[in-house]
């Protein structure tokens, strides 16, 4: 593993333990075993490190959405949605402890929001992409033409986020089996609401 990957891995660990607001570049460098100067050879700032943690170290939500768009017809709708829900649950469970400290300061949140939005990587991206995937399912005839795709996408992602919030609040790490079952329940419920 090269220095960049080690820095991202160390950043994920530090951010999980201390939250984004308290995870300094100095602490990240120390955890990675490198100088702070080396961090800045790989990353512009802490926001770029944070974005790298979300895209490289956490469950691949974006990749799953890409795969669903390109191969929607190959698998039943309920299985696609269960897979997506399972990845989303894992993503939120991993990212929630990291991201929650962004909300501890309006200034910190505003700064982070401006930087992330300038890179077209805001938290709305999974919602937009899931809605687009559901549009593909409409084209395939597996989702009703009159279904509210934005609402359906919001229901799935929102339910996953709520689950992660409660698990984090309770300081509980759900088992893989529990996550699988919950993902299947979410998918099954959504399919009933949107199918012809």
């Amino acid at each position: 593993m090269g220095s960049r990957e080690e820095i991202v891995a160390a950043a994920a660990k530090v951010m999980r333990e201390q939250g984004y607001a308290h995870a300094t570049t100095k602490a990240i460098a120390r955890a990675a075993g490198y100088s702070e100067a080396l961090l800045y050879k790989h990353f512009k700032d802490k926001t770029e490190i944070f974005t790298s943690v979300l895209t490289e170290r956490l469950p691949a939500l974006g990749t799953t959405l890409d795969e669903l768009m390109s191969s929607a017809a190959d698998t039943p709708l309920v299985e696609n949605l269960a897979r997506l829900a399972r990845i989303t649950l894992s993503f939120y469970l991993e990212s929630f402890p990291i991201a929650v400290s962004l909300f501890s300061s309006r200034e910190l949140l505003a700064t982070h929001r401006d930087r992330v939005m300038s890179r077209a990587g805001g938290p709305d991206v999974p919602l937009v992409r899931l809605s687009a995937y559901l549009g593909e399912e409409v084209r395939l005839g597996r989702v009703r033409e009159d279904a509210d795709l934005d609402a359906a996408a919001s229901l799935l992602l929102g339910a996953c986020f709520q689950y992660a919030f409660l698990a984090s609040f309770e300081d509980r790490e759900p088992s893989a089996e529990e996550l699988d079952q919950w993902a299947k329940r979410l998918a099954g419920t959504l399919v009933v609401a949107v199918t012809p």
Side-chain angles (χ1 to χ4, degrees):
M1 183 168 19
S3 58
R4 187 187 183 286
E5 293 81 13
E6 290 171 341
I7 291 166
V8 173
K13 182 178 186 305
V14 171
M15 288 178 180
R16 263 191 218 100
E17 293 170 356
Q18 300 177 24
Y20 176 85
H22 299 291
T24 64
T25 53
K26 188 178 214 170
I28 293 167
R30 189 178 324 113
Y34 294 108
S35 69
E36 198 171 0
L38 184 67
L39 260 66
Y40 292 107
K41 286 185 180 180
H42 294 286
F43 303 96
K44 178 180 158 190
D45 54 24
K46 189 169 80 168
T47 299
E48 190 174 344
I49 296 171
F50 174 69
T51 304
S52 297
V53 167
L54 290 180
T55 58
E56 297 170 29
R57 296 296 299 182
L58 299 180
L61 181 55
T63 303
T64 301
L65 285 163
D66 289 343
E67 290 169 2
L68 290 180
M69 283 297 288
S70 66
S71 64
D74 298 342
T75 310
L77 174 62
V78 70
E79 288 181 31
N80 284 340
L81 291 176
R83 177 175 171 229
L84 178 64
R86 179 63 172 85
I87 294 289
T88 303
L89 285 164
S90 295
F91 177 82
Y92 285 144
L93 284 165
E94 290 285 325
S95 65
F96 198 84
I98 296 170
V100 73
S101 66
L102 287 170
F103 293 87
S104 65
S105 157
R106 284 185 175 200
E107 182 181 335
L108 176 63
L109 179 59
T111 300
H112 180 73
R113 180 175 51 239
D114 291 345
R115 289 183 182 164
V116 168
M117 297 306 273
S118 72
R119 295 179 176 125
D124 61 323
V125 171
L127 184 64
V128 170
R129 291 174 71 191
L130 176 51
S131 187
Y133 159 70
L134 291 171
E136 177 62 14
E137 290 289 1
V138 169
R139 192 187 70 72
L140 292 170
R142 302 192 316 182
V143 168
R144 290 190 335 263
E145 288 188 18
D146 66 339
D148 186 333
L149 305 183
D150 292 337
S154 294
L155 287 169
L156 183 68
L157 296 178
C160 292
F161 185 85
Q162 177 69 14
Y163 184 94
F165 167 76
L166 290 174
S168 297
F169 179 78
E170 296 165 356
D171 196 22
R172 181 175 66 84
E173 191 170 330
S175 68
E177 183 180 338
E178 182 182 343
L179 293 176
D180 290 343
Q181 290 303 314
W182 186 241
K184 288 175 184 173
R185 288 175 60 195
L186 287 176
T189 300
L190 190 60
V191 165
V192 168
V194 299
T195 53

